């Protein structure tokens, strides 16, 4: 009964994706098996705790495509230049939009060429080395913004402009997802 209720809670209340639900179920099962091994749950039956997962279609830009985008001359379109730079920062740091759009100057350690971020989703601080593209972007915005990164815009506007940027960069190959 707990398994079913917990799975429904994760799916319906928290609205987690299937693979996230599976991750949480595996963690609880591991915890319960450890408790059983230590004699705390003698009647625990792990069989109903089936993990769930689904194959995902990960869509991403290759390193060559990111380099092409980085070197695209957008000097006549400052709006798309800013969007491109923000996107490159996100791609090269591996951060979600909500995290890379909230990087503060205090998060960046130029001496050690790294940034320390506490992602909103996990709340676990991570240290990210500054890659050459990110350092070049920071140099471009040095003195223009407090964190030497492009000013952010809304996620919706960012996505709209990214579509425009993708067309300009020639990224128009159809991608099929399921």
């Amino acid at each position: 009964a707990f398994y079913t209720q917990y799975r429904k809670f994760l799916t319906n209340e928290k609205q987690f994706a299937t693979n996230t639900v599976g991750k949480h179920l595996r963690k609880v099962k591991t915890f319960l098996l450890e408790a059983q091994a230590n004699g705390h749950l003698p009647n625990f039956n792990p069989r109903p705790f089936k993990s769930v997962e689904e194959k995902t279609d990960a869509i991403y830009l290759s390193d060559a495509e990111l380099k092409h985008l980085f070197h695209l001359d957008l000097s006549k379109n400052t709006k798309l230049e800013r969007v491109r730079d923000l996107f490159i920062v996100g791609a090269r740091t591996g951060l979600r939009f909500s995290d890379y759009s909230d990087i503060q100057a205090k998060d960046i350690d130029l001496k050690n060429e790294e940034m320390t971020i506490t992602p909103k989703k996990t709340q676990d601080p991570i240290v990210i080395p500054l890659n050459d593209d990110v350092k070049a972007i920071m140099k471009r915005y040095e003195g223009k913004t407090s964190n030497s990164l492009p000013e952010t815009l809304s996620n919706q506007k960012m996505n709209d402009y990214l579509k425009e940027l993708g067309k300009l960069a020639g990224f128009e190959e159809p991608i099929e997802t399921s």
Side-chain angles (χ1 to χ4, degrees):
F2 169 76
Y3 168 83
T4 306
Q5 289 174 346
Y6 186 54
R7 185 171 170 182
K8 281 182 184 176
F9 168 76
L10 295 173
T11 304
N12 300 334
E13 299 292 322
K14 297 297 258 178
Q15 297 185 341
F16 285 157
T18 302
N19 290 338
T20 304
V21 170
K23 177 183 73 172
H24 285 283
L25 291 171
R26 284 189 299 278
K27 285 181 180 181
V28 169
K29 183 177 181 178
T30 300
F31 176 78
L32 294 173
L33 285 171
E34 181 68 21
Q36 184 182 42
N38 289 318
H40 299 294
L41 297 171
N43 297 325
F44 172 65
N45 178 8
R47 227 175 291 142
F49 269 79
K50 292 189 179 7
S51 180
V52 293
E53 66 181 276
E54 65 185 1
K55 188 175 179 170
T56 61
D57 295 329
I59 299 171
Y60 60 92
L61 294 180
S62 68
D63 189 55
E65 289 168 324
L66 285 171
K67 285 184 189 312
H68 171 70
L69 193 59
F70 180 78
H71 293 291
L72 196 61
D73 181 10
L74 297 169
S75 57
K76 292 185 172 121
N77 191 333
T78 56
K79 172 184 72 177
L80 289 184
E81 186 177 49
R82 180 174 134 210
V83 167
R84 184 262 324 265
D85 292 346
L86 278 169
F87 179 77
I88 295 290
V89 168
R92 294 302 191 188
T93 59
L95 293 170
R96 293 175 187 84
F97 175 84
S98 61
D99 295 320
Y100 73 76
S101 62
D102 195 33
I103 297 171
Q104 306 295 313
K106 65 177 178 54
D107 301 328
I108 301 169
D109 179 355
L110 292 174
K111 182 180 173 217
N112 293 312
E113 298 185 336
E114 63 189 25
M115 62 175 72
T116 303
I117 305 291
T118 302
K120 288 175 177 43
K121 185 173 180 179
T122 62
Q123 294 296 307
D124 294 325
I126 54 173
V127 177
I128 303 167
L130 297 177
N131 125 309
D132 290 339
D133 291 349
V134 175
K135 288 189 277 189
I137 290 168
M138 291 179 74
K139 192 167 216 58
R140 195 178 302 157
Y141 291 86
E142 189 175 25
K144 296 177 184 175
T145 60
S146 62
N147 62 1
S148 297
L149 293 170
E151 287 186 27
T152 60
L153 56 163
S154 74
N155 198 356
Q156 183 178 359
K157 280 292 176 199
M158 180 81 170
N159 288 336
D160 289 344
Y161 296 148
L162 279 172
K163 289 173 190 165
E164 195 177 324
L165 182 61
K167 286 180 184 173
L168 196 61
F171 301 152
E172 297 191 71
E173 181 182 324
I175 304 290
E176 191 174 309
T177 62
S178 57

